């Protein structure tokens, strides 16, 4: 681990004139706060009850953590000490599993991942970290402790301390910003990265909506030390409830000690941010991150999933989508009717997207059903796990490709395998490639008929084939979105788009007016049973009786069955 690749030179500081401009605006913003405080002070001298009201309001903050933040229902509470900084984290799941690191946002803590930890532990060793300066982790006062280089280096040392060679990172808000930077500076330690509702750092700071509570004016206001912390201490309740408005809709939460129920999850946040020191660390991040950018031309090589809600008022949707320009391989997911925190507002949809991205379709199985040997599921049984089919998770990027049916089956065989072999071997490779292509198609149908017991009716078979012909619609839509972002992406994925469209047009032509698509007769009871017993291997395709299925034949069969049924009634 000592030779781990780290490239902090990819981080650049903004021009000095921009720094001077930010600090000038900071002084003006804080002058306004000082005048406000002076006015309140004079007002309290005249009316002493104003001080009493503020004192009464401050008693709403809890003086001890809620039970559900200290029990072990969600995971084990652990600590790691790095030189002079102690970090708190909650871990769950088997330590022999791959590690997923959860980085929370602002203002938040590890508890923000309460809906992800139980789901992810079925497949991963989950680490929900309290970032330095938050909650139970140490809160260094000095600003230099929160520079991007220092934060990334501390995170690297933390991973070394827990014996993690590499991890998948899921970050929200501030945690996602740190995740972006860590993936750029320590690429060999990041397997996959999920950014939740947060643009890339190069797009973040200059594209904040004015309606956001953390807009550009707020960022300039917090640059001055001490005064912003004192102001936030008095306005904490209002800010926290605005940032976590969705939490108030969560009626009940099971506590860990006596099984009682509480209806105030806001206690977790009110406790975590009730003192001036609770704000100093978080604000120090923004006092540094605002001045740093990633060097132009730096592209993340690890697979990236970018998730956001379509109703996020904190960050611009356009900025989040444009963040794909900094990723080689990426997926963009937009959750409808969701705001700033999709992992808390829509946890079921969010967890489904993340698990599909991290492990594929195996997440749909019960954890006890996931076996290393071949299973009935698509991933487990499809050609030893090397086959892929299009699914609801859209794959984009230069390195995520799929083999499609071309006129010559050898097109799916690498050139270096064909070069230097004789004609007989080429024929064998052609048969193997064809079997692989047909097998992918059959696996798609098998996956959707997994729980089916009876043969399909002609109408059901026709509807299923129509669904098969639409399997790439979502991917084409995502390609269109990517191509609309910036001129230099206008032709990106054009080759893949052309292949998909050619394949679909050929299949539609064959099914609607041509010779049909090669499939088993799933309307026949014997053939349906044989297909359901298929083990998913390419070698056993020869035992299936395939025929060319077309729309006309299915309609003819349906009409014939209707006539036969009428005759039987007569």
């Amino acid at each position: 681990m000592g030779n781990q690749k780290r490239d902090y030179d990819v981080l650049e500081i903004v021009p000095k004139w921009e720094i001077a401009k930010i600090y000038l605006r900071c002084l003006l913003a804080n002058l306004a706060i000082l005048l406000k405080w002076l006015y309140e002070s004079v007002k309290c001298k005249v009316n002493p009850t104003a001080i009493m009201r503020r004192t009464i309001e401050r008693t709403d903050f809890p003086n001890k953590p809620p039970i559900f933040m200290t029990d072990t229902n969600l995971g084990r509470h652990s600590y790691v000490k790095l030189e002079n900084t102690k970090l708190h984290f909650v871990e769950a799941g088997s330590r022999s599993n791959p590690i997923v690191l959860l980085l929370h946002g602002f203002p938040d803590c590890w508890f923000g991942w309460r809906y992800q930890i139980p789901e992810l532990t079925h497949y991963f060793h989950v680490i929900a970290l309290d970032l330095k300066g938050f909650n139970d982790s140490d809160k260094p006062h000095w600003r230099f402790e929160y520079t991007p280089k220092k934060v990334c280096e501390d995170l690297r040392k933390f991973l070394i301390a827990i014996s993690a060679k590499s991890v998948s990172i899921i970050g929200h808000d501030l945690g996602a910003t740190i995740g972006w930077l860590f993936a750029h500076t320590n690429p060999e330690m990041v397997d996959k990265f999920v950014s939740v509702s947060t643009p890339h750092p190069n797009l973040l700071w200059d594209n904040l909506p004015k309606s956001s509570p953390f807009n550009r004016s707020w960022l300039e206001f917090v640059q001055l030390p001490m005064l912003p912390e004192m102001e936030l201490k008095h306005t904490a309740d209002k800010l926290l409830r605005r940032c976590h408005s969705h939490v108030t809709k969560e009626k009940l939460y099971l506590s860990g000690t006596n099984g009682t129920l509480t209806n105030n999850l806001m206690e977790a946040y009110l406790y975590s941010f009730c003192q001036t020191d609770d704000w100093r660390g978080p604000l120090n991040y923004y006092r540094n991150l605002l001045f740093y950018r990633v060097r132009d031309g730096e592209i993340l090589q690890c697979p990236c999933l970018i998730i956001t809600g379509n109703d996020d008022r904190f960050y611009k949707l356009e900025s989040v989508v444009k963040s794909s320009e900094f990723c080689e391989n990426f997926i963009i997911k937009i959750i409808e009717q969701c705001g700033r925190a999709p992992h808390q507002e829509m946890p079921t949809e969010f967890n489904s997207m993340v698990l599909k991205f991290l492990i594929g379709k195996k997440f749909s199985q019960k954890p006890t059903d996931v076996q290393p040997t071949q299973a009935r599921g698509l991933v487990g049984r499809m050609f030893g796990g090397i086959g892929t089919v299009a699914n609801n998770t859209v794959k984009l990027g230069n390195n995520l490709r799929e083999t499609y049916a071309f006129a010559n089956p050898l097109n799916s065989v690498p050139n270096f395998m064909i070069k230097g072999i004789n004609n007989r071997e080429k024929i064998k490779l052609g048969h193997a490639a064809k079997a692989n292509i047909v097998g992918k198609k059959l696996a798609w149908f098998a996956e959707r008929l997994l729980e089916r017991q009876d043969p399909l009716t002609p109408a059901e078979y026709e509807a299923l084939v129509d669904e098969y012909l639409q399997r790439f619609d979502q991917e084409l839509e995502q390609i269109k979105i990517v191509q609309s972002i910036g001129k230099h992406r206008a032709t990106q994925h054009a080759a893949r788009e052309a292949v998909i469209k050619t394949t679909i047009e050929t299949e539609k032509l064959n099914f609607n007016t041509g010779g049909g698509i090669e499939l088993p007769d799933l309307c026949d009871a014997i053939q349906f049973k044989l297909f359901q017993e298929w083990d998913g291997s390419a070698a056993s395709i020869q035992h299936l009786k395939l025929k060319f299925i077309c729309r006309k034949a299915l309609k003819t069969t349906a009409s014939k069955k209707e006539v036969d049924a009428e005759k039987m009634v007569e």
Side-chain angles (χ1 to χ4, degrees):
M1 295 299 294
N3 295 326
Q4 185 69 46
K5 181 180 178 181
R6 299 182 300 281
D7 186 10
Y8 295 112
D9 291 337
V10 303
L11 303 178
E12 296 179 338
I13 300 178
V14 299
K16 293 182 179 179
W17 65 265
E18 187 172 343
I19 296 175
K21 180 180 176 181
I22 290 173
Y23 278 116
L24 178 61
R25 292 173 64 91
C26 166
L27 292 174
L28 294 175
N30 281 278
L31 178 61
I33 294 295
L34 284 172
L35 293 175
K36 175 186 172 183
W37 280 13
L38 180 61
Y39 169 77
E40 288 185 355
S41 178
V42 173
K43 182 179 178 181
C44 289
K45 290 285 186 181
V46 177
N47 182 13
T49 57
I51 299 177
M52 188 178 299
R53 281 198 299 269
R54 171 165 285 187
T55 305
I56 292 173
E57 290 172 0
R58 293 297 302 161
T59 59
D60 291 339
F61 286 84
N63 56 9
K64 61 180 180 179
I67 295 175
F68 49 78
M69 286 191 68
T70 56
D71 62 36
T72 57
N73 273 354
L74 289 176
R76 304 175 295 274
H77 291 259
S78 305
Y79 295 84
V80 164
K81 192 162 188 177
L82 308 174
E83 297 176 355
N84 298 322
T85 303
K86 180 180 66 178
L87 297 179
H88 166 258
F89 61 97
V90 173
E91 60 176 328
S94 173
R95 292 181 177 176
S96 61
N97 288 337
I99 296 177
V100 167
L101 179 64
L102 306 178
L103 303 178
H104 62 80
F106 168 82
D108 210 333
C109 61
W110 72 267
F111 188 65
W113 302 106
R114 56 191 174 276
Y115 298 117
Q116 284 66 56
I117 295 174
E119 294 296 320
L120 292 172
T121 50
H122 294 314
Y123 311 94
F124 298 98
H125 178 204
V126 181
I127 303 291
L129 178 66
D130 270 336
L131 295 173
K132 179 170 64 174
F134 287 83
N135 197 35
D136 281 346
S137 290
D138 281 352
K139 304 174 175 64
H141 287 185
W142 301 109
R143 175 174 172 165
F144 67 84
E145 290 284 347
Y146 300 87
T147 62
K149 180 178 179 180
K150 177 66 175 175
V151 170
C152 290
E153 188 65 12
D154 283 347
L155 189 55
R156 183 187 71 86
K157 291 177 181 178
F158 170 77
L159 295 179
I160 294 175
I162 62 173
S163 302
K165 294 182 179 179
S166 62
V167 299
S168 293
I169 296 178
I170 305 176
H172 172 243
D173 191 66
L174 176 62
T177 302
I178 295 173
W180 283 108
L181 296 173
F182 188 78
H184 275 293
T185 56
N186 293 265
E188 294 184 2
M189 298 192 78
V190 181
D191 297 326
K192 294 184 178 181
F193 174 55
V194 180
S195 173
V196 185
S197 301
T198 311
H200 186 275
N202 284 22
L203 300 171
L204 173 58
W205 311 113
D206 297 324
N207 296 281
L208 292 169
K210 292 183 179 180
S211 59
S212 171
F214 308 126
N215 55 25
R216 186 75 179 191
S217 298
W218 183 86
L219 289 172
E220 293 164 348
F221 158 67
V222 301
Q223 295 306 313
L224 197 69
M226 295 302 297
L227 187 62
E229 287 94 319
M230 297 169 64
E231 174 65 13
L232 284 173
K233 179 182 177 180
H234 292 294
T235 59
D237 183 79
K238 181 180 178 181
L239 179 63
L240 290 171
R241 293 188 185 280
R242 184 175 181 184
C243 293
H244 301 285
S245 57
H246 57 279
V247 173
T248 59
K249 301 175 184 178
E250 303 177 38
K251 300 300 181 183
L252 298 175
Y253 185 84
L254 183 64
S255 69
T257 304
N258 54 9
T260 57
L261 294 172
T262 177
N263 62 355
N264 190 9
L265 293 182
M266 280 302 299
E267 287 185 4
Y269 301 103
L270 294 174
Y271 170 77
S272 299
F273 296 94
C274 62
Q275 301 296 330
T276 302
D277 283 351
D278 296 331
W279 294 100
R280 181 171 292 114
L283 294 186
N284 278 333
Y285 282 100
Y286 294 100
R287 288 170 177 149
N288 287 283
L289 294 174
L290 179 61
F291 300 103
Y292 285 84
R293 303 290 186 272
V294 176
R295 188 173 57 202
D296 288 342
E298 294 295 327
I299 303 295
L300 292 185
Q301 300 300 317
C302 67
C304 299
L305 172 62
I306 302 172
I307 301 180
T308 187
N310 70 326
D311 195 28
D312 187 355
R313 307 294 176 84
F314 287 68
Y315 300 110
K316 291 182 179 179
L317 178 61
E318 179 185 359
S319 299
V320 177
V321 174
K322 286 187 68 175
S323 298
S324 61
E325 296 182 359
F326 297 89
C327 308
E328 180 69 18
N329 304 322
F330 63 89
I331 301 168
I332 300 174
K333 292 290 186 180
I334 300 174
I335 302 180
E336 297 294 327
Q337 299 178 347
C338 186
R340 175 179 182 253
H343 59 304
Q344 297 177 20
E345 298 174 47
M346 299 284 189
T348 302
E349 293 85 345
F350 179 88
N351 292 345
S352 175
M353 291 177 180
V354 168
L355 285 170
K356 280 184 180 180
F357 173 70
L358 294 179
I359 62 175
K361 284 198 171 183
K362 283 196 291 185
F363 88 94
S364 62
Q365 300 171 281
K366 294 180 180 178
T368 54
D369 294 335
V370 180
Q371 302 293 336
T373 56
Q374 283 192 352
R376 184 62 180 163
L378 172 64
V379 176
R381 65 185 178 137
M382 190 60 205
F383 313 119
I386 62 172
T388 57
V389 296
N391 51 51
N392 291 333
T393 302
V394 182
K395 299 176 181 179
L396 295 175
N398 296 335
N399 293 336
L400 292 179
R401 300 185 176 92
E402 184 174 353
T403 303
Y404 296 92
F406 295 93
N408 178 10
L410 281 175
N411 284 353
S412 60
V413 181
N415 291 332
F416 72 87
M417 293 180 61
I418 300 176
K419 192 174 182 178
I421 61 177
N422 57 38
N423 290 334
R424 179 177 296 180
E425 290 171 331
K426 286 183 180 180
I427 293 173
K428 288 182 179 179
L429 283 174
H431 288 317
K434 183 179 179 181
N436 185 50
I437 293 168
V438 174
K440 290 180 181 181
K441 175 173 58 181
L442 296 181
W444 187 95
F445 284 87
E447 191 71 18
R448 279 144 187 83
L449 299 174
L450 196 59
E451 305 297 331
R452 178 92 180 194
Q453 302 296 328
D454 302 321
L456 298 173
T457 65
E460 289 175 330
Y461 204 176
E462 183 180 359
L464 187 60
V465 175
D466 284 332
E467 182 184 348
Y468 174 74
L469 295 175
Q470 297 170 5
R471 65 193 186 278
F472 293 120
D473 287 358
Q474 190 176 4
E475 181 167 4
L476 290 173
E477 182 181 350
Q478 293 292 330
I479 289 175
K480 186 177 180 180
I481 292 175
V482 173
Q483 290 175 339
S484 67
I485 304 171
K487 295 181 179 179
H488 68 286
R489 284 189 176 264
T491 59
Q492 188 168 1
H493 313 297
R496 179 171 175 81
E497 181 183 22
V499 170
I500 292 175
K501 288 183 176 179
T502 301
T503 302
I504 294 300
E505 287 173 4
T506 302
E507 291 175 339
K508 285 183 177 179
L509 182 64
N510 289 336
F511 181 65
N512 293 324
T513 59
I517 300 177
E518 195 174 17
L519 290 167
D521 185 359
L522 299 179
C523 298
D524 181 81
I526 296 176
Q527 296 302 320
F528 181 83
K529 182 178 179 182
L530 289 174
F531 183 66
Q532 288 294 71
E533 293 173 352
W534 176 51
D535 62 2
S537 66
S540 60
I541 291 178
Q542 59 184 331
H543 302 303
L544 299 175
K545 186 177 180 180
L546 304 181
K547 60 185 293 187
F548 288 95
I549 305 295
C550 65
R551 194 182 301 277
K552 182 178 179 181
L554 290 174
K555 290 187 179 296
T556 302
T557 303
S559 300
K560 184 178 179 182
K561 286 188 176 182
E562 289 178 1
V563 172
D564 292 341
E566 290 176 358
K567 289 182 178 179
M568 290 181 64
V569 171
E570 293 176 357

